[in-house]
Amino acid sequence: MCRWAAYLGEAVFLEDILTAPCHSLIAQSHCAQEAKSPTNGDGFGLAWYGERPEPGLYRDILPAWSDPNLKSLCRQIKSSLFLAHVRASTGSATSRMNCHPFISERWSFMHNGQIGGFEKIRRALENSLSAVFDQREGTTDSELFFLLMIDEGLSADPQGAVSRATSRVLEAWRRAGLEPALKLTAAFSDGQALYAVRYATDALAPTLYTSIFRKGAGRCIVSEPFDREGGDWQATPPSSFVTMTRDGIDIHPFAPVAAKLALVG
């Protein structure tokens, strides 16, 4: 599966997190230690916030470790909020439109995980979208989940939108007569705060960590630590929703309504 990293705080050069550390995201693209596959070479992407409300976006299909343009951009761009992702495809084609992060107006989103049996419920989920269907550019389950979140009121209620989007996926499985199989470790932002969720329908939710960066200059949230010796990394428990602002980090339990109903009976 994929690897990703996000940062919020004082403006820093992207390279300080994405290319310079000993186990940076670029290093993880060919040598991940906490992923199902150590290689994440099916493209990469950056979304960063600056003077405008909407993020800048750079994505390509090359392996992150072999793109000199990526290293040059990371060395020159300074941002107080950014998301970066290296991709290991779970079935969809390697194309620029399938690379994370995905953006919609001021929102950006990236994902590590998978909707199991996606091809069997994809059409039902796509048909359930309202006007946001027109924003669909690629073929990944991750982008579709992001659009479900927007459809469920992401701007007004981030945690509720993720919960309701998850419930729609669970309901699609139920209607198709399939056993739910969702792995969801995602990060997303509106340019002001960072949000993340760690959830799975089994006991194997993909990893998620938070840390303070450079003695309080900022905060990181990542799928895998990029500096195991110098960082105070805190593992986020499964079934959690994280809200990260410049003032602190809040972690709350996460359980979609449909999952709760299934447990009841």
Side-chain angles (χ1 to χ4, degrees):
M1 292 185 181
C2 310
R3 301 284 83 182
W4 55 255
Y7 171 84
L8 173 65
E10 296 178 5
V12 298
F13 287 107
L14 271 59
E15 72 170 359
D16 292 347
I17 290 173
L18 304 185
T19 63
C22 60
H23 193 56
S24 69
L25 194 65
I26 302 303
Q28 292 175 35
S29 68
H30 60 78
C31 192
Q33 296 178 359
E34 297 192 33
K36 187 175 181 179
S37 168
T39 304
N40 299 272
D42 297 322
F44 64 85
L46 303 171
W48 70 95
Y49 292 85
E51 299 301 317
R52 301 181 186 276
E54 69 277 3
L57 181 66
Y58 176 56
R59 300 183 294 182
D60 212 336
I61 61 173
L62 291 173
W65 67 77
S66 67
D67 189 331
N69 295 322
L70 174 62
K71 294 179 181 179
S72 179
L73 287 173
C74 288
R75 183 166 177 78
Q76 296 297 330
I77 294 175
K78 209 171 189 180
S79 174
S80 61
L81 201 172
F82 55 88
L83 297 80
H85 185 279
V86 291
R87 181 172 183 251
S89 173
T90 55
S92 55
T94 301
S95 71
R96 189 173 287 111
M97 293 300 98
N98 284 341
C99 291
H100 310 218
F102 305 100
I103 64 171
S104 175
E105 297 180 345
R106 73 179 191 274
W107 286 95
S108 55
F109 172 89
M110 60 187 180
H111 176 221
N112 173 36
Q114 184 179 16
I115 296 177
F118 179 57
E119 292 305 318
K120 293 181 172 64
I121 60 174
R122 172 181 170 182
R123 178 173 292 185
L125 290 173
E126 288 181 337
N127 288 344
S128 75
L129 293 172
S130 61
V132 297
F133 178 82
D134 293 340
Q135 298 183 39
R136 182 92 155 125
E137 293 183 330
T139 58
T140 66
D141 53 353
S142 299
E143 183 195 28
L144 180 53
F145 192 87
F146 178 38
L147 295 178
L148 290 171
M149 289 165 51
I150 296 172
D151 213 29
E152 290 291 348
L154 177 61
S155 293
D157 180 13
Q159 181 169 352
V162 180
S163 178
R164 292 186 291 272
T166 303
S167 295
R168 282 168 70 168
V169 175
L170 295 172
E171 176 63 14
W173 273 314
R174 188 189 69 80
R175 290 178 177 272
L178 300 173
E179 188 71 22
L182 175 65
K183 295 185 184 299
L184 176 67
T185 297
F188 51 102
S189 178
D190 60 355
Q192 299 298 319
L194 266 173
Y195 304 95
V197 59
R198 184 186 183 203
Y199 174 78
T201 51
D202 59 19
L204 301 174
T207 54
L208 184 67
Y209 295 88
T210 61
S211 180
I212 295 175
F213 184 68
R214 285 186 177 172
K215 299 181 180 180
R219 296 177 172 85
C220 296
I221 187 162
V222 301
S223 57
E224 182 171 317
F226 55 76
D227 183 356
R228 295 185 181 278
E229 296 182 357
D232 181 19
W233 296 100
Q234 303 297 317
T236 302
S239 300
S240 293
F241 187 89
V242 182
T243 300
M244 180 180 289
T245 67
R246 286 171 172 80
D247 296 325
I249 302 174
D250 290 322
I251 301 177
H252 297 283
F254 178 85
V257 174
K260 289 181 179 178
L261 291 176
L263 290 174
V264 172

